[in-house]
């Protein structure tokens, strides 16, 4: 979430509070007292109380994490706080609420937990607890620790998602076009989209669309939305121009699609509700989020198309992490919670339920969605793992001003509708975003 001016005072107060309660004055360089294996075992097996903060609803927390932890760590009483309008991180910190653990992505850690001094570098704890970082997908660690990400080991990855291309088999069958395959390029997808954009007399079908916001945040070319040095929007480069031309302009130049965009901006409903869209690139996690409607469709999925000169490179990873706060006085017990949730046992359970694992384990990956309502549909679940992840682009506190204000709400729509050309649209998007950035400081 963007750190807006209205929360600056709360975060400033929170910084003082967290700095005072942290076990060290520097959350990144905090010293963890070494313990013998016996001391550590005794400590993590003692009854204790922990508090976790996340965006999860109470039911979501229990289903994904709570019930499992009750089985594995019955000696722990874990209280979960869901974020609401009145219980955001800055509110809790200002009120003096103790938080031991949080669940967030690297972007939120960089934009919220680090500025408020609530983040804690877990590097020494990981060593003490003998957690092998090599079991994780490398990008899961890199996205958190790299300078482009959060810049430290402020969490371990619990889950991930990528983007895949869903397709409506009934539309392909009706038009007589072969189904798409893993490993397709954007050029091949464009040729398919033209063939599938047809009017049968009963319905106007559209060949292709993508979820713009999800794609822009994790674009395949690892392009920064904002220059981290200048803190200015940066979407007018030749690389950004190429990306917009390939992903948005060419597909929106198809006449029937443009006419549809002018009258009604396309969303995922065009795929799973009105079923007028043949191919749709969306998050892999949508498979479970929209299973009620998708389960009624004759669909499948393939790996997201790639650039010809970047074969098998998908979007940047979107990991969800669990981290320990600097204020926690129970860091060893908190680390044990994270160890349980990153174990192959837990990851296997979640993978079977359609949660994309953060582990390298082929066995866990192959179990993906094996115990979901899709198990009899024989879907191409490998689509989620076919591409490798693009390197993480620099993350800044101002990225959403570019994605939301500069592009998705305004200039991207004008470009797709043919109301402005590509160069002008991107330049205007920068101007809008920079005004927002300036006024937020």
């Amino acid at each position: 979430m963007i750190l807006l001016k209205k929360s600056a005072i709360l975060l400033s107060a929170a910084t003082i509070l967290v700095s005072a309660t942290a076990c060290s004055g520097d959350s990144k360089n905090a010293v963890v007292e070494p313990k013998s294996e016996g001391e550590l075992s005794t400590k993590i097996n003692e009854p204790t109380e922990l508090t976790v903060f996340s965006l999860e609803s109470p039911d979501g927390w229990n289903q994904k994490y709570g019930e499992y932890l009750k089985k594995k760590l019955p000696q722990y009483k874990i209280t979960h706080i869901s974020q609401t309008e009145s219980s955001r991180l800055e509110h809790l910190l200002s009120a003096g609420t103790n938080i031991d653990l949080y669940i967030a992505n690297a972007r939120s850690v960089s934009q919220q937990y680090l500025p408020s001094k609530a983040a804690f570098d877990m590097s020494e704890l990981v060593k003490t607890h003998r957690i092998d970082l090599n079991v994780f997908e490398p990008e899961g660690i890199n996205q958190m620790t790299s300078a482009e990400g959060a810049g430290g080991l402020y969490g371990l990855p619990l889950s991930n998602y990528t983007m895949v291309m869903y397709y409506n088999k009934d539309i392909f069958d009706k038009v007589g076009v072969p189904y798409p395959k893993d490993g397709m390029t954007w050029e091949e997808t464009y040729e398919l989209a033209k063939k599938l954009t047809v009017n049968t007399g009963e319905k106007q079908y559209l060949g292709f669309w993508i979820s713009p916001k999800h794609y822009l945040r994790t674009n395949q070319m690892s392009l920064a939305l904002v220059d981290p040095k200048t803190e200015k929007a940066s979407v007018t480069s030749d690389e950004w121009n190429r990306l917009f031309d390939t992903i948005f302009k060419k597909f929106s130049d198809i006449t029937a699609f443009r006419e549809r965009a002018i009258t009604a901006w396309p969303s995922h409903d065009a795929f799973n509700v009105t079923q007028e869209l043949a191919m749709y690139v969306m998050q892999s996690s949508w498979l479970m989020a929209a299973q009620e409607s998708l389960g009624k469709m004759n669909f499948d999925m393939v790996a997201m198309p790639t650039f010809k000169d970047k074969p098998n490179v998908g979007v940047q990873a979107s990991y969800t992490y669990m981290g320990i706060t600097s204020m926690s006085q129970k860091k060893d017990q908190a680390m044990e919670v994270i160890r349980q949730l990153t174990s192959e046992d837990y990851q296997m359970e979640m993978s079977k339920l359609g949660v994309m694992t953060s582990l390298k384990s082929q066995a866990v990956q192959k179990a993906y969605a094996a115990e979901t309502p899709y198990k009899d549909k024989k879907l191409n679940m490998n689509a989620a793992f076919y591409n490798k992840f693009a390197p993480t682009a620099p993350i800044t506190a101002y990225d959403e001003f570019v994605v939301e204000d500069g592009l998705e709400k305004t200039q991207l729509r004008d470009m797709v509708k043919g109301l402005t050309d590509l160069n002008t649209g991107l330049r205007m998007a920068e101007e809008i975003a920079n005004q927002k950035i300036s006024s937020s400081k």
Side-chain angles (χ1 to χ4, degrees), residues 287-288 291 295 299 352-353 367-381:
L287 182 69
M288 302 312 300
Q291 64 177 305
F299 81 101
K352 290 177 180 178
L353 296 176
Y368 183 58
E371 294 180 3
T372 70
Y374 299 115
K375 62 184 178 182
D376 297 325
K377 284 184 172 287
K378 297 181 180 179
L379 299 179
N380 175 27
M381 295 302 181

Side-chain angles (χ1 to χ4, degrees), residues 23-38:
C23 62
S24 159
D26 185 335
S27 63
K28 185 168 183 176
N29 299 307
V31 176
V32 177
E33 290 296 327
K35 298 177 182 65
S36 68
E37 190 169 337

Side-chain angles (χ1 to χ4, degrees), residues 413-431:
R413 298 190 180 220
D414 284 351
M415 287 186 280
V416 167
K417 294 174 184 179
L419 302 176
T420 188
D421 64 88
L422 196 58
N423 291 329
T424 302
L426 293 177
R427 178 172 50 79
M428 288 296 296
E430 278 194 357
E431 291 179 9

Side-chain angles (χ1 to χ4, degrees), residues 157-441:
L158 301 183
S159 61
N160 186 22
Y161 63 81
T162 184
M163 295 188 81
V164 297
M165 187 162 74
Y166 299 87
Y167 66 95
N168 187 322
K169 296 169 78 172
D170 287 341
I171 298 177
F172 277 81
D173 293 342
K174 187 182 290 286
V175 180
V177 175
Y179 299 150
K181 300 176 181 178
D182 290 330
M184 287 175 51
T185 64
W186 284 113
E187 288 78 11
E188 291 170 327
T189 305
Y190 173 67
E191 293 302 319
L192 269 185
K194 288 193 295 184
K195 294 175 183 178
L196 291 157
T197 306
V198 296
N199 192 320
T200 62
E202 297 177 358
K203 183 182 286 190
Q204 172 65 60
Y205 291 105
L206 306 173
F208 171 88
W209 190 232
I210 188 170
S211 176
K213 290 189 288 187
H214 294 107
Y215 181 79
L216 291 172
R217 293 182 186 118
T218 60
N219 69 85
Q220 289 165 291
M221 296 178 73
S222 303
L223 302 176
L225 293 154
V226 174
D227 186 322
K229 294 180 180 179
T230 64
E231 296 186 338
K232 299 288 186 183
S234 178
V235 292
T236 55
S237 65
D238 290 342
E239 291 86 356
W240 270 115
N241 194 294
R242 178 193 177 198
L243 184 146
F244 270 86
D245 182 59
T246 302
I247 309 297
F248 299 108
K249 186 176 185 303
K250 283 184 178 177
F251 289 99
S252 63
D253 280 345
I254 299 173
T255 302
F257 183 89
R258 174 155 293 160
E259 290 174 349
R260 168 66 158 77
I262 291 171
T263 56
W265 185 250
S267 70
H268 56 258
D269 283 359
F271 184 83
N272 66 327
V273 178
T274 60
Q275 296 192 32
E276 61 198 289
L277 185 59
M279 299 179 288
Y280 183 49
V281 172
M282 180 54 171
Q283 295 167 305
S284 56
S285 56
W286 193 53
L287 182 69
M288 302 312 300
Q291 64 177 305
E292 184 176 349
S293 56
L294 289 175
K296 300 173 184 177
M297 292 179 61
N298 182 22
F299 81 101
D300 205 342
M301 55 189 184
V302 294
M304 192 179 94
T306 60
F307 287 91
K308 191 180 294 185
D309 58 343
K310 293 181 182 292
N312 300 121
V313 177
V315 290
Q316 300 162 57
S318 297
Y319 287 96
T320 296
Y321 297 85
M322 178 172 268
I324 298 171
T325 67
S326 58
M327 73 179 75
S328 176
Q329 299 300 307
K330 302 169 184 176
K331 290 183 171 62
D332 287 311
Q333 293 94 329
M335 193 73 242
E336 179 62 15
V337 169
I338 296 177
R339 191 181 73 80
Q340 292 291 341
L341 296 181
T342 55
S343 67
E344 187 156 333
D345 178 72
Y346 171 79
Q347 292 287 316
M348 179 64 81
E349 281 195 21
M350 290 298 102
S351 183
K352 290 177 180 178
L353 296 176
V355 178
M356 193 172 171
T357 184
S358 60
L359 304 182
K360 288 180 184 176
S361 170
Q362 291 295 305
V364 175
Q365 291 182 11
K366 287 180 180 178
Y368 183 58
E371 294 180 3
T372 70
Y374 299 115
K375 62 184 178 182
D376 297 325
K377 284 184 172 287
K378 297 181 180 179
L379 299 179
N380 175 27
M381 295 302 181
N382 182 58
F385 302 96
Y386 186 87
N387 289 329
K388 60 185 178 182
F389 292 109
T392 298
I395 296 170
T396 79
Y398 309 107
D399 293 350
E400 289 304 294
F401 289 136
V402 183
V403 174
E404 291 276 0
D405 301 281
L407 290 167
E408 211 281 334
K409 292 179 181 176
T410 55
Q411 296 307 303
L412 175 62
R413 298 190 180 220
D414 284 351
M415 287 186 280
V416 167
K417 294 174 184 179
L419 302 176
T420 188
D421 64 88
L422 196 58
N423 291 329
T424 302
L426 293 177
R427 178 172 50 79
M428 288 296 296
E430 278 194 357
E431 291 179 9
I432 293 169
N434 284 333
Q435 289 172 4
K436 290 282 186 178
I437 292 171
S438 179
S439 63
S440 74
K441 293 181 177 180

